[in-house]
Structure formats: C-alpha cells, structure tokens
Amino acid sequence: EYAFDAVTPTVRLNNYAQISRKTIIVSGSQQAGNHAGVSSEMAYGLAKKSKELKRDMESCLTNKVAKAAGSTSAARKLGGLETWISSNTSRHSGGSGAGGGAAPVDGTQRAFTVAMLKSVIQACYSAGSDSNTIMVGPHNKGVLSGFAGRDGARQMGSEKKINVAADLFSSDFGDYKVIPNRFQRDKSAFVIDPEYWSVAYYRDFKQEEVAKTGDAIKRALLVEFTLVSKNEASSGIIADLTTS
C-alpha cells in the first residue's frame, strides 16, 4: 500500500468591494461657452475627474487601511496591499502585521538598506515565489539607486546626461524591475510577483447622469472594486523605513 499524506484544506479569503466616486457640475453658461483648448466644459471636466479617480484607486490598493464591511453610517473599505503580506517581511521594533486584510502596526523607522532587501528577496525565493518586481516610494527609490554596487557601473550615454538611477536590481535569485510609486506609503518597500495580485470589479467604471436642478448639468463617475490577493506568500515587504 502507498503511504498517503493528508490533504490540507484550502481557506477562502475575502476582501470588500469599495465604492469610489467623483462628481462634477457645469452650469448651462459654462457648457455653452467657446472655451480655449476644449470643445466641451463637461467633457473636459469628466476627463480630469477620471484621472483623479484612478489615482485615488491606486492609493487605496497599495495602502495599509484594513478591510471593513461598512455599516449604515460608514462606507465599506477594501484591505490594501500592506494589509495582506505577512509571510516574507522585514519589520523594525514594534512593527507587526497579521495579514488577511488587517491593518499592520508600524514600528520604529529605520533607513532602507540593501541587506534588508536581499533578506526579503531570499525569503520570497525560499517560499517558492517567482517575484520579479520591487515597488518603492519616491524617497526610497532614491535610496535604492544609491545602494553599493552602482559605484563600478559603466554605462553608455549622452555627454549631456547624468545617470544616477537604478531601474533593475540584480540579486542572487534573479533580476528585479524597480518601480517608483508616488501613491504608496514611502515607509514601505514591496517585493512582489504581479501574477498573484489583481483588481476585481463589482461594478466597472460608470458614468451616471444626476437629476438636473436649476441651470446646471451634473454627472457622477463611480467604480466598485477591490484588491485580490491570490497568494500573499508570493510577495514580501520591507516596512518601517525612513521617508526623508
């Protein structure tokens, strides 16, 4: 008879779909006017609000706000990227994170170092991850570009160009694309495998006409979405970093 290992049951996780919206109102006179550079004040306003909405979404998706079911007096909230990663972490004293959509606890801040990054990359690799992307805030993107190893680099470039940036980090476990992200918290750096993260839409982007009152046109842009964590152990986080 063969020896059999018991099957470990899978656990279904969940996140809440959050509603984000932008509104715009344009008077009849504004809409009728002949504006410089735009054919329609409403169309121009909607285009701007659409970009604002997408920026808001990225901030929500990468943040540390815990998932919340909401109530009659409070809106639902999705659990952002920082609330899911618990396996491959580097946190300083006082810092902790349970994952599962719960908000992590920030610890004492410390300077970002190459040793921290290498440690989390190795932890991801040992866990079976094929992570390939490092995502950092603006300040720590500059810190990463100054890591030792750049000193001896030789690059061909224009005589008018000074190249001090690092867009690729080569580790013992593969090359990582380095992406700066102005919407995430600068005190956290992520090592991620994008294959195991996605955005799910309960209601896709939608434009709604709002009831007219007086001499004005009203529109609302809304979207209902959430972050999907397919396997948090595919990624890692270096938390509690200094931001200046």
Side-chain angles (χ1 to χ4, degrees):
E1 178 62 79
Y2 295 114
F4 293 95
D5 294 327
V7 175
T8 302
T10 58
V11 178
R12 186 181 297 279
L13 302 178
N14 70 80
N15 205 350
Y16 293 106
Q18 174 176 314
I19 301 173
S20 293
R21 69 172 182 267
K22 293 289 181 180
T23 57
I24 182 171
I25 182 171
V26 174
S27 72
S29 297
Q30 285 178 296
Q31 184 67 0
N34 182 10
H35 304 282
V38 295
S39 58
S40 166
E41 189 72 18
M42 176 57 75
Y44 177 62
L46 286 170
K48 289 177 63 178
K49 292 294 183 182
S50 177
K51 291 181 179 180
E52 290 177 15
L53 183 58
K54 291 174 181 177
R55 292 162 73 96
D56 289 351
M57 288 175 63
E58 185 159 0
S59 178
C60 294
L61 291 166
T62 59
N63 222 298
K64 61 165 283 188
V65 177
K67 67 179 183 181
S71 65
T72 55
S73 59
R76 292 191 306 274
K77 293 183 182 295
L78 65 86
L81 180 60
E82 285 200 48
T83 71
W84 291 99
I85 301 175
S86 61
S87 294
N88 311 305
T89 66
S90 172
R91 301 183 187 276
H92 207 206
S93 57
S96 63
V105 177
D106 289 335
T108 306
Q109 290 179 259
R110 71 284 173 65
F112 190 22
T113 67
V114 68
M116 296 174 192
L117 180 57
K118 289 172 66 177
S119 173
V120 171
I121 288 176
Q122 180 176 334
C124 290
Y125 180 83
S126 297
S129 168
D130 291 321
S131 55
N132 55 28
T133 303
I134 299 167
M135 192 166 69
V136 288
H139 171 74
N140 284 305
K141 171 59 170 72
V143 173
L144 190 152
S145 292
F147 282 168
R150 295 274 304 156
D151 301 341
R154 294 192 296 175
Q155 298 174 326
M156 299 297 293
S158 167
E159 60 184 11
K160 296 181 180 180
K161 182 178 180 180
I162 301 174
N163 192 340
V164 294
D167 298 321
L168 192 70
F169 183 85
S170 184
S171 77
D172 293 321
F173 308 102
D175 291 339
Y176 285 74
K177 181 168 56 176
V178 181
I179 299 177
N181 188 335
R182 62 169 65 93
F183 301 107
Q184 73 176 67
R185 295 203 308 162
D186 212 353
K187 63 172 56 179
S188 297
F190 301 104
V191 176
I192 59 177
D193 184 347
E195 181 181 349
Y196 290 96
W197 300 94
S198 65
V199 180
Y201 293 93
Y202 193 67
R203 286 185 293 168
D204 210 339
F205 291 93
K206 183 180 181 182
Q207 180 189 146
E208 292 185 336
E209 293 186 14
V210 182
K212 183 177 173 63
T213 56
D215 185 23
I217 306 168
K218 301 175 183 177
R219 295 288 185 274
L221 290 172
L222 65 86
V223 61
E224 193 166 359
F225 67 105
T226 193
L227 176 68
V228 178
S229 171
K230 302 173 185 176
N231 184 350
E232 64 81 22
S234 68
S235 302
I237 184 173
I238 304 98
D240 308 318
L241 303 177
T242 53
T243 59
S244 62

